[in-house]
Amino acid sequence: MRRLLARHLPGYEVRKIDRLGEGQDNAAYEVNGELVVRQSKAGDPDERGETVEREAALLAVVGEVSTIPVPRPVLVVPEAGMLAYPKLPGLPLNRHPVPEPARLAAPLGAFLSALHLLPVPRVEDLVPRDAYPLRDLREEAEGDYEEIAGRLLAEERRLVEGFLAAEAPADPETLTFCHNDLGSEHVLVDVATSAVTGVIDWTDAAVADPAYDLALVYRDLGPAVLARTLEHYRGGLDDAGRERMLFYARCALLEDVAYGLRTGIRPYAEAGLANLGRTFS
């Protein structure tokens, strides 16, 4: 990484590199406390290059409409799967809970409104369509549950098994532009003021079901914050959308717990286990 930065940012002195974290798609590093460098974990070099080039182009579009700061790349190195941008202020919400989470609702509602109302033609060449059948998603959730069932209490197993025994909701009729991975690890906050300061990691952005973005707010922040978020949300959420939102939240929680236990990346598992009863009730 030092060699790449020296080559592509001549004159920039790298004094310190800290590892920020790692997800399913990327590893992230902080350079000199001021620059965030993300590297794609895709195995194929062409895929890595295409991923970061598309994300840089997408961020230019998102930056025009977003009501919350988003990364603005200053360096894209396709052959290394590298994208770098000035560090946004704030800390990841998943590791730094705020004292007044209700204050997150209004900015999140406005932000999701701006995304979901963005005309799809503006982004359809930059992101995939994510129209995964909900029935298939439920089958994957069953597999995730089998991995983690031994870690759950009897009451938790009862809740999850009741969910998995039910039919999956009908697939959505309308798709919009979505962040598509709006977990609390990708929301930056000022802890002292309970303010949202940024939204990061747009690798999974897609034309998808807007209920999924709302589902992760529900999963990570709970029903009270979601209700307040919807007060500021202009995208609309009917009864069918609410049903899908709950479905997505529960599937995503099982996926996170299984992923965290499988890989040893414990924050995913710990957060999912802590929120399981609330999410499945």
Side-chain angles (χ1 to χ4, degrees):
M1 184 176 294
R2 288 178 182 274
R3 289 195 298 270
L4 285 167
L5 291 172
R7 184 184 315 146
H8 295 280
L9 292 177
Y12 184 76
E13 180 187 357
V14 177
R15 299 181 301 277
K16 184 181 181 184
I17 299 178
D18 294 310
R19 189 179 185 88
L20 289 177
E22 182 175 347
Q24 298 187 52
D25 301 309
N26 299 283
Y29 305 85
E30 183 177 293
V31 179
N32 297 344
E34 62 188 12
L35 193 69
V36 174
V37 179
R38 283 204 9 251
Q39 285 194 293
S40 170
K41 293 168 61 177
D44 180 78
D46 291 337
E47 182 182 350
R48 288 199 302 269
E50 291 171 4
T51 296
V52 297
E53 287 183 316
R54 278 199 310 270
E55 185 170 355
L58 175 66
L59 286 169
V61 175
V62 172
E64 296 176 8
V65 301
S66 178
T67 57
I68 293 174
V70 298
R72 295 183 177 272
V74 294
L75 175 64
V76 180
V77 187
E79 63 272 19
M82 176 190 285
L83 182 148
Y85 56 87
K87 181 183 177 182
L88 293 173
L91 299 168
L93 177 60
N94 66 322
R95 299 192 181 198
H96 303 274
V98 297
E100 298 181 74
R103 298 190 64 178
L104 305 173
L108 287 174
F111 168 75
L112 289 174
S113 298
L115 292 195
H116 297 169
L117 295 175
L118 181 69
V120 169
R122 292 198 62 186
V123 295
E124 60 187 352
D125 292 336
L126 300 174
V127 297
R129 293 182 72 85
D130 186 356
Y132 200 62
L134 272 66
R135 180 176 296 180
D136 293 350
L137 191 60
R138 185 173 67 83
E139 291 181 3
E140 290 188 1
E142 290 175 349
D144 291 328
Y145 174 62
E146 289 176 4
E147 284 191 50
I148 71 172
R151 301 292 298 270
L152 304 185
L153 300 174
E155 176 60 17
E156 293 172 330
R157 292 197 298 272
R158 185 188 66 79
L159 289 171
V160 176
E161 288 168 8
F163 163 69
L164 293 173
E167 288 292 324
D171 292 337
E173 296 181 359
T174 302
L175 305 181
T176 68
F177 174 60
C178 299
H179 180 281
N180 215 32
D181 194 15
L182 195 62
S184 59
E185 70 272 23
H186 298 145
V187 177
L188 303 180
V189 294
D190 180 326
V191 176
T193 61
S194 297
V196 181
T197 60
V199 172
I200 59 173
D201 198 343
W202 292 78
T203 304
D204 291 323
V207 175
D209 186 353
Y212 186 73
D213 278 345
L214 293 165
L216 297 192
V217 175
Y218 175 80
R219 180 196 68 183
D220 292 350
L221 298 175
V225 174
L226 174 72
R228 288 176 175 263
T229 299
L230 291 174
E231 292 174 3
H232 302 272
Y233 177 65
R234 295 183 290 113
L237 187 70
D238 58 13
D239 289 344
R242 288 178 180 273
E243 184 182 8
R244 294 195 311 276
M245 179 196 68
L246 291 173
F247 175 83
Y248 290 134
R250 292 163 180 170
C251 290
L253 186 145
L254 295 175
E255 180 185 14
D256 267 13
V257 175
Y259 173 74
L261 294 177
R262 187 187 316 125
T263 62
I265 303 177
R266 298 203 60 81
Y268 284 93
E270 291 167 356
L273 292 170
N275 294 334
L276 189 146
R278 179 183 71 189
T279 304
F280 281 85
S281 295

